[in-house]
């Protein structure tokens, strides 16, 4: 639609006088809106994300070499946390945190026997890892088989 010279050039110039003031006011309004949005985001994060339980999956558990060693030890026999801690050059508290992490992931179970708490491995959860690895193993097996067939085909052509 052609301009007649009567209507404002920009929508934000309607409520303000001069063009310079209107641009300044426009940017001030944009800053205010962004501030409100960031305050809302902060309030949301503070109120809702704090209540969300952090998820610990099997891959996080096996990513740490200390936890992998603990799983290996517990796969052979049940041990209490003190027995596990003796095998490492870290504090008992650090070992307890690793054990708790493994327990949260479902890789071990802690059973109370008298005054002692014994840890036992539950290796069924590792099936999730083997399933994930198998899909890539199948992919690469197919690729390498295809390469082997291609190389055999080239060699047969040379003969």
């Amino acid at each position: 639609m052609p301009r007649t010279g009567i209507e404002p050039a920009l929508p934000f110039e309607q409520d303000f006088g001069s063009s310079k003031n209107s641009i300044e006011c426009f940017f001030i309004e944009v800053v205010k809106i962004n501030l409100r949005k960031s305050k809302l985001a902060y309030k949301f994060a503070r109120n809702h994300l704090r209540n969300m339980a952090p998820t610990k999956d099997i891959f996080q558990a096996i990513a740490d070499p200390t936890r992998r060693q603990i799983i290996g030890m517990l796969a052979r026999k049940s041990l209490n946390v003190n027995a596990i801690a003796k095998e490492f050059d870290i504090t008992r508290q650090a070992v307890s945190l690793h054990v708790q992490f493994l327990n949260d992931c479902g890789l071990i179970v802690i059973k109370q026997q008298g005054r002692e708490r014994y840890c036992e491995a539950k290796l069924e959860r590792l099936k999730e890892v083997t399933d994930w690895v198998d899909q890539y193993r199948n992919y690469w097996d197919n690729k390498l088989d295809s390469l082997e067939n291609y190389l055999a085909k080239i060699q047969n052509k040379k003969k």
Side-chain angles (χ1 to χ4, degrees):
M1 187 168 142
R3 288 188 56 181
T4 61
I6 299 170
E7 67 275 346
L10 300 171
F12 57 83
E13 286 183 294
Q14 294 176 16
D15 301 324
F16 310 108
S18 72
S19 176
K20 184 178 179 185
N21 271 346
S22 61
I23 291 174
E24 288 173 6
C25 291
F26 173 76
F27 285 114
I28 289 172
E29 288 300 313
V30 168
V31 169
K32 285 180 184 177
I33 291 170
N34 286 337
L35 255 172
R36 268 184 266 148
K37 285 181 182 177
S38 66
K39 285 180 183 177
L40 286 174
Y42 171 76
K43 286 179 183 178
F44 173 79
R46 187 186 67 206
N47 294 334
H48 299 288
L49 297 181
R50 169 179 59 196
N51 297 331
M52 293 174 61
T55 57
K56 296 177 181 173
D57 69 357
I58 196 86
F59 295 98
Q60 289 174 315
I62 64 171
D64 187 270
T66 304
R67 289 194 285 263
R68 288 194 304 265
Q69 281 183 292
I70 293 171
I71 293 168
M73 292 168 59
L74 295 175
R76 289 187 286 280
K77 66 178 184 175
S78 293
L79 297 169
N80 64 13
V81 177
N82 287 331
I84 296 170
K86 287 179 185 174
E87 300 294 322
F88 297 98
D89 291 331
I90 57 177
T91 64
R92 185 190 180 286
Q93 183 181 9
V95 170
S96 291
L97 290 174
H98 285 297
V99 166
Q100 187 59 49
F101 194 97
L102 293 170
N103 187 40
D104 292 345
C105 292
L107 278 173
I108 66 169
V109 63
I110 301 172
K111 294 185 178 180
Q112 190 82 28
Q113 292 179 357
R115 292 183 343 152
E116 295 289 330
R117 294 175 49 202
Y118 283 89
C119 305
E120 295 177 3
K122 283 178 42 180
L123 303 179
E124 301 85 29
R125 284 286 320 271
L126 289 175
K127 185 173 178 354
E128 186 179 334
V129 176
T130 58
D131 292 344
W132 184 80
V133 169
D134 282 344
Q135 83 182 24
Y136 290 100
R137 181 179 295 126
N138 292 336
Y139 172 80
W140 285 108
D141 282 346
N142 292 336
K143 291 290 185 183
L144 292 172
D145 288 345
S146 176
L147 177 62
E148 184 179 1
N149 293 337
Y150 176 74
L151 292 174
K153 190 177 177 182
I154 290 175
Q155 285 181 345
N156 288 337
K157 283 185 180 179
K158 287 184 179 179
K159 292 180 181 181

